[in-house]
Amino acid sequence: MAGVMTYSNNTALALELLTAAGLMGQEVKALSINNEQQAQELKDAGASVYEVTGEYSAADTNMVAEILKQAAAALGVDIILLSSDRRGKELSGRLAQKLNAGCLTDIKAIQVNGTEIECERNALGGAAIAVQSIKSTKQVLAISPKVFKQAEPAGDGSINNYAVEETISAVSVKEIIPKSTDSVDIADADVLIAVGCGVQTKYNLPAVEAIAQSLGGLVGCSKPVATDWKWFSEERIIGLSGKICSPDAALILGVSGQVQFAVGVRGARVLISINSDENAPINSMADYYMVADLNDVLPQLKDAMS
Amino acid sequence: MIVPYLGGNDEKREAVLKGVRELMKIVVAMKQIPDLQQIRIRDRKPILDGVPLTFGKIDKNALEAAVQIKEAVNGEVVVVSVGNEELEDTIKEALAADADSSVMLIEDDIEKMDSAQTAKVLAELIKQVERYDLVIFGEGSGDNYSGQMGSRVAEILGLPQAGYVTSIEIDGIAAIVKRSLEDQEEILEVKLPAVISVAADLNEPRIPSVSKVLKAGKKPKEIFNLDDLDIEVCEALVATSSSLAPASNRKGIELKSVSELVEVLKSEASGGN
Ligand SMILES: Cc1cc2nc3c(=O)[nH]c(=O)nc-3n(C[C@H](O)[C@H](O)[C@H](O)COP(=O)(O)OP(=O)(O)OC[C@H]3O[C@@H](n4cnc5c(N)ncnc54)[C@H](O)[C@@H]3O)c2cc1C
């Protein structure tokens, strides 16, 4: 039986892929490109690591896909697991096309039935969950962050050096600008407070923060609140193009509940919504909803909770 | 300093050097999708009958990006799309928003094609556009959002690519783009011709005036069907066994006062105790 190869340039995600690969009942080979520390961490998690070093630019999707294609052929693997972060998603289509492989991205769950790998992903903008599998021999599967736990340290790992043919790049990096990253991850929140456009003014945020604090929760937001209003970093976005959260409780403030948002909180055990519009879609998917103006409710709630 | 457009291939470059003013040709690939706001769910099944078709929101960002480049460097925007018989109507949205012409492939049951099949057809359609410099996609379609198309088409066309792009400038024979990743931004120089996928919200798509909407139908169009194109479309590589809305059994209790709300928060939102 052919094997499974994993690759992500993000080490945390590469470790998650090892866990996913473990489900497939096949030999697992972990590829690592120009990242000695990652190779070591994957080895410590018990993986057979193949480390590629050379003049490769991670920014050149074609080049990375070419390395993966060559490695897959040399290592005799049919299934390639990638991370479905931005880098991984861009890579997956290019690699799949090189291999004439079927490809699924943003995979939220995997079920292995014998030789078939059934994957769940959102469809119709999140309105539905599709169960899909790939029919071609070669398969490229890009798995969403945090679907699997990172592989724990284990024995029996190894690092092998692996050489590939160099290719010419038509993409050059002129500058890299780090983004300031959050120290918290809303995907880990037990209690999640979601700020939507209905919060209306920044003057309401201190009350939201105070309520979050009294509930021991983290504050996330709908997409326009981060991308248009810039109240929060994009890491705080809940939903299809942000974080999928499954908190114990979610308090949703002034979010209409379009599908792309709703997929991000569907996993909450309890969903509570406050919205001035009785017919907002979010109310029909809530356990508790309150029809009210947040400008009135937030100060009162803050006082009552403190 | 930004150098003006100098041509996306050798032929055009030579012409420019001889003093000929070449048009920059930008292809935008757009996907016809059902209007997601209008999909209803019955027995967990999404009901698509009667739902109007439109272009995805991010595809409209891609078009706007193309039109802004054309306005900056003297160019031309061609919309390329694969869809069903209603596409001729849908495409007018793009032509009204300042695309100059369109190339379409129209087939029934086109929505059943998977990414690999669509990529093949789309690449073939793009080849019908002579001497293009840049192909622009959205980061993902509005319905499936799988984000494969730009990458697959770049591979078929043998072009360099950059995804999740939030700004594009043309500099001589290259595009200078900003790629926005989770933890960093990259400024990249990508040699033309190239494929670029833009991130959602990189711009605010223009709303066409009524007179532009009326004139959209008169812009040049080319329509193909599968038999016209000399390609073999392989079998679908991906099978879908079900596509259902998730089951939900929420309580739906209305809270009438802040004190009821506080009650609920204290009992339900404190670690589930
Ligand atoms: C491909 C794609 C991906 C997307 N991904 C995401 C995503 O990951 N996350 C996301 O959030 N969105 C996403 N979107 C956008 C999504 O479709 C919605 O536009 C967005 O979720 C709307 O945000 P909102 O509910 O905060 O704002 P609105 O839709 O404007 O809703 C505001 C709500 O607040 C209520 N309100 C107004 N005033 C008050 C008040 N004073 N008191 C109480 N309530 C009030 C209104 O009744 C309304 O229900 C995506 C869209 C696309 C096309």
Side-chain angles (χ1 to χ4, degrees), chain A residues 129-206:
Chain A
I129 296 174
V131 180
Q132 300 182 299
S133 57
I134 297 177
K135 297 296 161 198
S136 51
T137 319
K138 298 261 187 298
Q139 309 194 10
V140 175
L141 304 173
I143 300 174
S144 291
K146 303 248 162 133
V147 169
F148 292 95
K149 289 205 160 41
Q150 295 183 20
E152 301 281 340
D156 281 352
S158 62
I159 296 183
N160 315 279
N161 288 308
Y162 173 71
V164 292
E165 286 166 36
E166 310 232 346
T167 52
I168 300 164
S169 180
V171 177
S172 59
V173 181
K174 309 198 65 105
E175 199 184 338
I176 290 180
I177 309 158
K179 280 189 183 171
S180 54
T181 48
D182 252 328
S183 50
V184 294
D185 186 349
I186 55 166
D188 295 335
D190 288 327
V191 176
L192 179 67
I193 290 85
V195 172
C197 295
V199 172
Q200 287 184 340
T201 127
K202 251 188 151 158
Y203 297 114
N204 280 326
L205 283 188

Side-chain angles (χ1 to χ4, degrees), chain A residues 37-72:
Chain A
Q37 181 170 352
Q38 180 186 81
Q40 189 62 44
E41 284 188 44
L42 294 171
K43 171 183 178 263
D44 292 343
S48 307
V49 182
Y50 291 79
E51 194 187 1
V52 181
T53 44
E55 293 285 309
Y56 308 112
S57 161
D60 187 341
T61 309
N62 179 47
M63 203 179 233
V64 178
E66 194 57 44
I67 294 172
L68 264 72
K69 179 189 167 182
Q70 287 184 32

Side-chain angles (χ1 to χ4, degrees), chain A residues 58-62 85-87 89-94 96-98 100-106 118 121-136 170-179 181 191 211 215 223 227-228 234-235 240-241 248-249 251 258-260 265-272 274 278 283-291 297 300-301 304-305, chain B residues 34 36-37 39 41 44 46 48 57-58 114-116 119-120 139 142-148 150-156 158-164 166 171 176 178-191 199-201 204 236-246 248-258 261-262 264-273:
Chain A
D60 187 341
T61 309
N62 179 47
D85 55 346
R86 291 185 159 195
R87 195 72 107 190
K89 261 184 100 166
E90 189 177 335
L91 180 61
S92 55
R94 188 104 197 192
Q97 192 61 41
K98 279 183 196 292
N100 283 320
C103 171
L104 293 169
T105 58
D106 291 334
E118 277 195 335
R121 66 184 307 279
N122 286 310
L124 292 174
I129 296 174
V131 180
Q132 300 182 299
S133 57
I134 297 177
K135 297 296 161 198
S136 51
V171 177
S172 59
V173 181
K174 309 198 65 105
E175 199 184 338
I176 290 180
I177 309 158
K179 280 189 183 171
T181 48
V191 176
I211 294 162
L215 293 171
K223 192 166 170 220
T227 53
D228 299 349
E234 290 182 17
E235 287 167 277
L240 191 65
S241 36
D248 187 59
L251 175 61
Q258 305 297 330
V259 283
Q260 297 97 350
V265 289
R266 213 147 55 189
R269 184 185 64 87
V270 181
L271 224 147
I272 305 158
I274 306 174
E278 187 179 354
N283 291 341
S284 63
M285 52 180 284
D287 293 290
Y288 302 93
Y289 67 94
M290 182 167 179
V291 181
V297 173
Q300 293 178 36
L301 184 59
M305 296 299 292
Chain B
L36 299 179
Q37 315 285 12
I39 295 177
I41 305 289
R44 295 184 58 199
L48 294 172
K57 193 160 162 279
I58 312 176
D114 72 2
S115 304
K120 189 150 186 198
E139 64 171 73
D143 55 352
N144 264 332
Y145 194 62
S146 105
Q148 296 178 42
S151 295
R152 281 191 182 268
V153 168
E155 174 63 21
I156 298 172
L159 298 179
Q161 70 178 95
Y164 303 99
T166 54
D171 182 4
I176 309 293
K178 190 191 267 182
R179 179 196 264 147
S180 176
L181 298 171
E182 286 85 351
D183 56 349
Q184 66 182 38
E185 292 177 316
E186 297 171 341
I187 312 289
L188 306 172
E189 183 179 297
V190 188
K191 218 169 143 259
D201 307 314
E204 191 61 52
L237 304 178
V238 170
T240 302
S241 53
S242 77
S243 185
L244 293 174
S248 163
N249 45 0
R250 298 284 178 189
K251 294 189 216 139
I253 299 170
E254 183 174 357
L255 305 172
K256 295 284 189 191
S257 65
V258 171
L261 174 64
V262 170
V264 165
L265 285 174
K266 286 195 168 149
S267 63
E268 297 271 30
S270 50
N273 316 316

